[in-house]
Amino acid sequence: SLFGHRQAFECATERSAAEHLLGRFGSGSGVVAGRRIVMLAEAHSSIWRHVAWLDRYTQGVKTFQSLTSLIAAASDVDDALVLISLDAFGDLGTALETLVNFRLDVPDCPIVIASRDFAGHVLSTERRAISDASLRLPASRAEVAICCGAAVENNRGFNPGRLPCNKPFLSVVS
């Protein structure tokens, strides 16, 4: 819930804020700890400084160089969480179209989009067509954790009781 995320912002240190959402020392108690992070960012992105830390607190981080390969991997991974820096794309229109199609194909896979151009973090479903939360870069560990947690919870709110990320929700039999 949004109230839980506000409490996390008030934590005294980045570590306690991150542990609140990711699970203390990898215990799996947080909303993101059981997820595999599937990530794409440009080489010089500030998000790279969080990869080792995210890998420690989650079920692992897999990085990709292309949106096509990231989408294919995220579609095949149970409990994936997609983290994409929009700054990595020269053609933002194509990237957004691909994200919309991915969202339609795999609606219960949480997505966090990140950019230096965002005015701030968006923990709501304001950009629901392409993501479950937005992260303004550069971001601290706590901000990354909070946005990832918001994405998971926002996605659950729109997809209650859905099957894991790589399973179809509805099959049409003719």
Side-chain angles (χ1 to χ4, degrees):
S1 73
L2 188 55
F3 179 73
H5 300 303
R6 285 189 184 138
Q7 283 180 327
F9 270 120
E10 296 168 3
C11 290
T13 66
E14 282 190 22
R15 182 176 174 168
S16 63
E19 289 172 355
H20 173 73
L21 291 175
L22 296 178
R24 189 173 186 89
F25 305 113
S27 67
S29 62
V31 297
V32 180
R35 299 275 176 173
R36 294 190 190 281
I37 309 295
V38 182
M39 188 179 109
L40 182 142
E42 70 280 16
H44 60 278
S45 176
S46 62
I47 199 71
W48 286 106
R49 69 180 184 203
H50 299 297
V51 170
W53 168 80
L54 283 168
D55 191 56
R56 176 180 169 206
Y57 281 94
T58 67
Q59 297 301 308
V61 176
K62 178 78 173 163
T63 60
F64 293 89
Q65 299 299 315
S66 78
L67 186 56
T68 305
S69 57
L70 176 139
I71 296 294
S75 297
D76 291 336
V77 174
D78 284 336
D79 295 325
L81 185 147
V82 173
L83 175 58
I84 298 177
S85 172
L86 296 181
D87 300 332
F89 301 101
D91 182 6
L92 190 57
T94 300
L96 294 177
E97 183 178 333
T98 303
L99 283 172
V100 167
N101 290 330
F102 175 69
R103 169 54 46 123
L104 293 171
D105 291 342
V106 191
D108 49 348
C109 188
I111 301 171
V112 175
I113 55 173
S115 178
R116 293 182 308 271
D117 295 330
F118 291 156
H121 310 305
V122 177
L123 303 180
S124 69
T125 56
E126 181 178 313
R127 296 182 175 125
R128 176 75 187 131
I130 58 169
S131 73
D132 297 292
S134 303
L135 179 68
R136 185 188 188 305
L137 297 175
S140 68
R141 285 182 178 181
E143 292 167 326
V144 171
I146 289 164
C147 281
C148 288
V152 170
E153 290 194 10
N154 289 342
N155 188 272
R156 283 181 188 161
F158 271 90
N159 299 297
R162 290 255 174 125
L163 297 172
C165 193
N166 67 340
K167 308 287 192 265
F169 177 64
L170 179 65
S171 295
V172 178
V173 179
S174 54

